[in-house]
Amino acid sequence: MKKYIKSIILTAVGASLLTSCQTELDTFNENPNNPTTTTPTLLLSAMEVSTFSTHTSGLIRTSNIFDQHLAGTSVGQLGDIQRYILSEQDVNNEWNTVYGTTLISGHILSRDFADKFPYYNGIGQVLTALNLGYATDVWGDVPYDEAFRAEEGNRAPKYNTQQEIYQRLQTILDEAIVNLKKPAASNESRPGADDFIFAGNTAKWIKVAYVLKARYALRLTQVDTGAAQKALDYITAAGMTANTDDANAIFFATANALNQWYAFDNSRANYLKTGKYFVDGLAADPRLPFAIAKDDNGNYTGNAANDLDTTSSSYIGLAYADEDSPVGMVTYAEAKFIEAEAKFRLGQNAQPALEAAIAASVLKVTKTPATPAFLASVATTVTLANIIQQKYNALFLTMEPYNDYRRTGFPALVPNQSSNTKTIPVRFPTPSDERNYNPNATVVSNVTTKLWWDKD
């Protein structure tokens, strides 16, 4: 796959941010009649844009419906998700974007450009870890070691176990940090404007890499007794100090690059609303009018888990779903929540980190510092339940609250009792493309089958 399709990659950079949910790049690398040699710039841009798409489309929509940040209605296909019906066909596009665009681009960066372009490769490795983490956290066992070997004749890669994937995540991030710490002179060229997130600032990418190491370490609290200490060590190494260190999905107020939450709500009216549990939890919170839009009656309301029919309730607010609103992927707030939980588990004083995490979220969402009175009301109680609840409030439209819910049981959500299972799904089914075309796939269809790291 040394020859790439420049027109397809440029489409990924410009037009993959479509004004609908159909943003997945299913035809990536499918035009052998127009080959052209790729460059690190094209690969990095394709990786970032497809990551933005993944972070603001199907995987996050579905996980946020399951954890009751959002609610699908009977107006469209998201009503099935609200009833916990998720089929193998429903997740093919998400799988294809992660594997067919993002991870394969990272593979090419690492394979063909590692020696002369360590900064590009390092950023690609961070993005690879982020996206591989998305994949394993919804599908469990996934291919990695044997993925992307079609040129060698391997079109049916074996799956790695989730335990192996978590080992690979740490190794990939370690290698990324090594690459990003190399002297500038070791690069034939360095990222700049083609890095939409940090414009080539390697120090910020190193911080993100360490926060991801902490994220993945803390995920294993049920299977690794050393998880909390590892997470705390990585957060300390990260050294994030402010929201300016955040890695955000970036959008522009132009037709082909709109924020996808904005685009979805405008192209599919009443398909997706906010969830009652989340909205009610923000009742006395300064983030409420920024995170949640007013409903048809001028109030802030969300749909309960068993309510598929109300369409007068609130959409996502402008802080997250304006035309060009950035959406956090790996943030300073998350880093401080990880620190708070790790310290709590280790018997250390977690209150300052918890307060800093909430303050960072309030500032990011409202652009105004949180008042001491508000921080005192939400950060004084330092329990695991409150740490996870406050993280749930802060990391809206990310997958982390869904992961935390499966890992800790918090918040104490009540499943949709009108659903078939009456149990919140704890995974996605294996895509039908994998079932049908990869005889080595680990196929799991039951969405109540727990992942390896989810033991409770």
Side-chain angles (χ1 to χ4, degrees):
M1 207 175 294
K2 195 166 185 177
K3 297 291 185 180
Y4 245 23
I5 311 307
K6 184 176 181 180
S7 61
I8 297 298
I9 299 176
L10 290 176
T11 298
V13 174
S16 75
L17 301 180
L18 300 175
T19 58
S20 78
C21 68
Q22 298 301 321
T23 59
E24 288 71 24
L25 307 174
D26 298 332
T27 58
F28 187 75
N29 201 39
E30 284 185 1
N31 184 1
N33 298 314
N34 184 30
T36 184
T37 302
T38 189
T39 67
T41 268
L42 289 172
L43 291 166
L44 177 60
S45 296
M47 285 191 82
E48 291 195 354
V49 170
S50 58
T51 299
F52 300 163
S53 176
T54 293
H55 189 72
T56 55
S57 57
L59 291 183
I60 307 301
R61 271 199 307 269
T62 299
S63 62
N64 271 239
I65 289 173
F66 287 165
D67 72 21
Q68 300 179 20
H69 279 100
L70 299 175
T73 75
S74 56
V75 172
Q77 70 268 29
L78 298 183
D80 281 348
I81 309 300
Q82 187 74 11
R83 293 188 292 130
Y84 308 150
I85 300 171
L86 185 64
S87 75
E88 294 179 346
Q89 292 76 27
D90 291 334
V91 296
N92 281 322
N93 282 342
E94 286 73 18
W95 177 278
N96 291 334
T97 300
V98 170
Y99 275 92
T101 303
T102 316
L103 294 182
I104 198 172
S105 297
H107 170 73
I108 300 298
L109 263 177
S110 182
R111 187 191 68 186
D112 293 351
F113 300 102
D115 292 341
K116 295 182 179 180
F117 302 89
Y119 287 0
Y120 278 100
N121 189 32
I123 296 172
Q125 288 168 316
V126 175
L127 294 169
T128 291
L130 177 61
N131 284 273
L132 187 59
Y134 287 151
T136 192
D137 285 337
V138 295
W139 285 297
D141 298 354
V142 292
Y144 184 69
D145 290 350
E146 293 190 3
F148 318 119
R149 292 186 181 179
E151 283 185 336
E152 303 170 18
N154 185 351
R155 299 180 182 277
K158 292 181 180 178
Y159 276 39
N160 291 93
T161 66
Q162 185 170 64
Q163 184 174 5
E164 291 171 339
I165 291 295
Y166 262 81
Q167 294 166 351
R168 303 299 184 271
L169 290 172
Q170 294 294 347
T171 299
I172 293 166
L173 291 165
D174 286 340
E175 292 173 353
I177 291 165
V178 170
N179 280 321
L180 293 166
K181 286 183 175 180
K182 288 182 177 178
S186 65
N187 293 265
E188 189 170 292
S189 67
R190 300 193 298 274
D194 50 353
D195 171 13
F196 305 129
I197 299 173
F198 290 131
N201 186 325
T202 54
K204 289 187 181 294
W205 277 111
I206 291 169
K207 292 180 180 183
V208 170
Y210 274 115
V211 174
L212 284 174
K213 284 178 68 65
R215 174 192 289 184
Y216 297 137
L218 197 64
R219 186 87 80 247
L220 306 186
T221 48
Q222 294 185 22
V223 295
D224 179 3
T225 57
Q229 187 60 58
K230 291 174 185 175
L232 185 57
D233 291 344
Y234 295 144
I235 286 297
T236 301
M240 275 195 175
T241 58
N243 293 338
T244 52
D245 291 330
D246 290 0
N248 297 314
I250 305 298
F251 302 98
F252 306 95
T254 57
N256 289 332
L258 292 169
N259 173 294
Q260 290 189 61
W261 297 111
Y262 169 90
F264 188 91
D265 284 346
N266 278 270
S267 63
R268 287 168 171 76
N270 295 322
Y271 276 42
L272 184 67
K273 295 292 184 173
T274 51
K276 177 178 172 59
Y277 181 88
F278 177 54
V279 175
D280 290 355
L282 295 179
D285 194 301
R287 290 166 289 191
L288 176 65
F290 298 88
I292 309 298
K294 287 185 177 180
D295 66 14
D296 291 351
N297 299 311
N299 302 311
Y300 300 104
T301 57
N303 286 14
N306 62 350
D307 178 6
L308 279 75
D309 297 323
T310 300
T311 59
S312 60
S313 45
S314 296
Y315 286 108
I316 302 167
L318 293 181
Y320 296 90
D322 204 356
E323 292 180 315
D324 59 352
S325 299
V327 182
M329 299 186 297
V330 183
T331 63
Y332 172 59
E334 181 187 353
K336 299 308 286 186
F337 279 115
I338 291 171
E339 179 183 343
E341 181 182 342
K343 285 185 172 179
F344 175 79
R345 289 180 179 276
L346 293 168
Q348 301 177 20
N349 182 11
Q351 195 278 334
L354 177 59
E355 183 172 308
I358 299 167
S361 173
V362 171
L363 181 61
K364 185 181 182 74
V365 173
T366 71
K367 312 302 181 187
T368 302
T371 65
F374 173 72
L375 291 176
S377 70
V378 293
T380 300
T381 302
V382 183
T383 62
L384 182 61
N386 191 45
I387 291 170
I388 299 301
Q389 179 66 62
Q390 297 306 323
K391 190 178 179 184
Y392 175 94
N393 292 346
L395 299 193
F396 182 37
L397 303 184
T398 75
M399 196 186 292
E400 287 310 290
Y402 179 53
N403 294 330
D404 288 339
Y405 170 74
R406 292 179 288 169
R407 178 176 62 88
T408 69
F410 298 121
L413 303 173
V414 177
N416 179 359
Q417 295 302 301
S418 65
S419 65
N420 290 336
T421 64
K422 298 181 175 55
T423 301
I424 294 173
V426 293
R427 66 177 304 127
F428 290 10
T430 304
S432 62
D433 285 353
E434 288 292 293
R435 172 193 284 277
N436 293 331
Y437 303 115
N438 184 357
N440 291 318
T442 302
V443 177
V444 181
S445 299
N446 188 342
V447 296
T448 63
T449 300
K450 293 186 175 183
L451 304 179
W452 164 73
W453 53 251
D454 181 11
K455 297 296 185 184
D456 289 346

